[in-house]
Amino acid sequence: MRLIYEKSKAGRRASSLPRYDIPKAEVPEELRRTAAPRLPEISEPDLVRHFTALADRNFGVDTGFYPLGSCTMKHNPRVNERVVNLPGFRDLHPYQEEEASQGALELMWRLQEILAEVCGLDAVSLQPAAGSQGELTGLMLMRAYFADRGEADERRVVITADTAHGTNPASVAMAGFELKKVETDDRGNLDLDDLRAKVDGRTAGLMLTNPSTLGLFDEHIAEVSAIFHDAGALLYYDGANLNAVCGISRPGDMGFDIVHINLHKTFSQPHGGGGPGGGPIVVRDILEPFLPVPAVVRDGDDFRLDHDRPKSIGKVRGFCGPFGVFVRSYAYIRAYGPGLREMSEAAVLNANYLLARLKDDYDLPFDRLCMHEFVLSASNLKREHGITALDVAKRLMDHGFHPPTIYFPLIVPEALMIEPTETEAKETLDAFIEAMRAIAAEAATDPAAIKDAPHKRPVRRLDEVKAAKRAVVKFGFDEHPDLAPVKAEAGGEAIEAAKGA
Ligand SMILES: Cc1ncc(COP(=O)(O)O)c(C=O)c1O
């Protein structure tokens, strides 16, 4: 596909307006451009076709099944968009006075109440803008808690699982803690012996995803909780997989003291490519004084922002957080009425249906009932036919599906992490099963067809390292000098990437 700069023809415009008969604005000399901006010049129909063609090349949850494990790519109900576009929400200014924002404050307060109930904990801050920012905020609360008790110098270590998402160790380091990793046992639980050996008076807390990134609920969670609490440490729940347990089991009841929720995953919000998201923090009462300010509170029938929290860690984001995400999450939750558990039950059922029908064609490292996702391995295909998880993922694109998460969690070789979510119909799941089985069969009969995949997508197989490390994201005007090394590396040839990526 040609770039918009290549389609540009001097003098073409996407709109034409009559000349103004008002005097030109005087722009001070020092602020004037010396040359006109180099923008593409194109007619409106060609402009619309260009961007529509680009959009058509994209794959999203509205295009097809998107079983990206741990990312919970569920359908985003359109009613949420209607609600978030109500003028009272849409046109609200963050600096609007409290008396004129009562509806928005009430929505935030109600969302906080629901999240506290779902987690079985006491207090909420909606501020963090993503799960990862929630992690950092939660660990800062942990640090503030121990500092307040005069234990900041001793409580230096946070323990994570070897299945943890990469953001967990990153957050531990950013929050100034030392990291220790605990291994996973043969059934996919935390290895209790390894854990006991690592918890001591220096431990500040555990950071755990439960169900884990293997899609397995830790069978010893009560014992794990006792080990940490007996040592005076806290438990942090990475809520990325909360979709599996809403209304069924609560992190607070499992023993967790701090939880982040990925609103964009669990409660539907168009996401991907890094945003937009919401990562509220939910805590036990002992941690409430440290939560970010302002807190959204209720006084009788009124709602207000409370800045008077002397022990607060301060603000972690502008204003009260990503308000549009709150409205969509609230709408999604209320659409289930009191039966939110139905959401999680359907998600778990869908995952177990897929698992039961795929486990004969792929390796299954932990043969247990799964929660809302599960991890297969393409090790059998690699051993027998040289076909890897990456090959399977690429071939799935030819069948019209987004690939699952691959090569994660790290402890499973050739991992394929599959999460169907509750919003998919049985026919879709069956079509996916057929595709996965067809690929497993094809690995034996025509492995070359898989190795070359995708055959039917606009972009074939990329050099992914180069695409990530050498992304060229601007047009290569002739006088741009900095593309020379890229061209030189391609033997002086003009390469497609040199004009944009
Ligand atoms: C298990 C787990 N923890 C944390 C995160 C980070 O969440 P976010 O993408 O909202 O920053 C993710 C994201 O995929 C995740 O899967």
Side-chain angles (χ1 to χ4, degrees), residues 416-494:
L416 294 156
M417 184 206 243
I418 299 170
E419 178 178 3
T421 84
E422 71 278 13
T423 56
E424 298 300 333
K426 181 170 175 294
E427 293 74 23
T428 306
L429 303 183
D430 286 336
F432 179 72
I433 291 163
E434 287 315 312
M436 287 288 285
R437 286 181 165 176
I439 294 169
E442 192 178 36
T445 56
D446 189 4
I450 307 182
K451 282 276 169 209
D452 267 358
H455 300 269
K456 300 182 197 160
R457 302 299 305 169
V459 178
R460 302 287 304 270
R461 234 183 250 216
L462 296 173
D463 177 339
E464 301 202 353
V465 176
K466 206 163 173 185
K469 301 264 179 210
R470 280 280 174 81
V472 181
V473 291
K474 66 184 180 194
F475 184 68
F477 290 110
D478 286 342
E479 66 272 33
H480 277 165
D482 53 345
L483 293 176
V486 181
K487 282 187 183 165
E489 201 174 293
E493 304 273 314

Side-chain angles (χ1 to χ4, degrees), residues 35-36 97 208 253 303 311 378 468:
E97 62 279 17
L208 190 68
D253 299 339
F303 300 88
K311 291 188 177 179

Side-chain angles (χ1 to χ4, degrees), residues 72 74 210-212 214-217 237 241-249 266 332 336 340-357 368-374 418-424 429:
T72 317
K74 62 175 73 170
N210 191 33
S212 69
L214 294 164
L216 300 174
F217 194 91
Y237 184 93
N241 291 344
L242 197 70
N243 213 56
V245 295
C246 285
I248 301 171
S249 60
T266 312
Y332 193 75
Y336 275 96
L340 193 55
R341 126 181 230 134
E342 200 186 302
M343 169 187 97
S344 292
E345 283 174 345
V348 172
L349 182 63
N350 278 357
N352 277 289
Y353 178 66
L354 284 184
L355 172 60
R357 298 203 50 205
R368 276 169 57 184
L369 276 182
C370 68
M371 298 297 287
H372 68 311
E373 68 185 2
F374 58 98
I418 299 170
E419 178 178 3
T421 84
E422 71 278 13
T423 56
E424 298 300 333
L429 303 183

Side-chain angles (χ1 to χ4, degrees), residues 26-253:
E26 286 298 320
V27 180
E29 189 59 38
E30 70 275 15
L31 295 180
R32 282 190 199 171
R33 307 185 64 108
T34 51
R38 286 188 300 196
L39 298 174
E41 298 176 81
I42 192 160
S43 71
E44 183 168 332
D46 287 336
L47 180 69
V48 171
R49 283 177 197 140
H50 181 78
F51 284 105
T52 306
L54 277 179
D56 282 349
R57 291 158 73 102
N58 242 332
F59 190 98
V61 74
D62 294 341
T63 326
F65 186 45
Y66 205 133
L68 196 65
S70 217
C71 292
T72 317
M73 302 300 284
K74 62 175 73 170
H75 171 68
N76 307 120
R78 295 309 189 260
V79 68
N80 295 358
E81 301 307 313
R82 289 285 294 276
V83 176
V84 80
N85 268 306
L86 290 172
F89 292 138
R90 184 192 61 206
D91 300 338
L92 204 60
H93 193 279
Y95 280 127
Q96 203 145 330
E97 62 279 17
E98 284 173 12
E99 304 83 75
S101 326
Q102 285 296 299
L105 290 171
E106 179 170 351
L107 182 137
M108 287 192 275
W109 182 82
R110 285 177 181 272
L111 182 60
Q112 290 177 178
E113 292 290 295
I114 294 170
L115 299 181
E117 174 60 28
V118 164
C119 291
L121 290 167
D122 306 302
V124 181
S125 168
L126 298 175
Q127 260 185 45
S132 41
Q133 201 194 5
E135 290 174 29
L136 179 62
T137 308
L139 291 170
M140 285 162 68
L141 296 177
M142 205 182 263
R143 218 176 53 184
Y145 170 80
F146 285 118
D148 191 53
R149 293 164 62 91
E151 294 177 50
D153 291 341
E154 293 95 72
R155 301 281 177 182
R156 301 289 314 125
V157 177
V158 172
I159 295 178
T160 62
D162 58 2
T163 52
H165 190 257
T167 49
N168 288 187
S171 301
V172 171
M174 279 182 77
F177 287 109
E178 292 164 32
L179 178 73
K180 270 192 196 167
K181 272 197 189 167
V182 170
E183 288 179 7
T184 299
D185 72 12
D186 293 345
R187 280 189 59 77
N189 299 314
L190 282 184
D191 184 321
L192 286 182
D193 292 334
D194 192 29
L195 189 62
R196 280 198 196 90
K198 285 176 178 152
V199 176
D200 56 27
R202 295 188 68 238
T203 310
L206 168 74
M207 230 182 156
L208 190 68
T209 316
N210 191 33
S212 69
T213 60
L214 294 164
L216 300 174
F217 194 91
D218 198 296
E219 295 164 310
H220 309 127
I221 193 62
E223 217 170 326
V224 169
S225 159
I227 292 171
F228 280 85
H229 284 154
D230 289 351
L234 297 172
L235 277 88
Y236 181 99
Y237 184 93
D238 175 333
N241 291 344
L242 197 70
N243 213 56
V245 295
C246 285
I248 301 171
S249 60
R250 307 190 303 174
D253 299 339

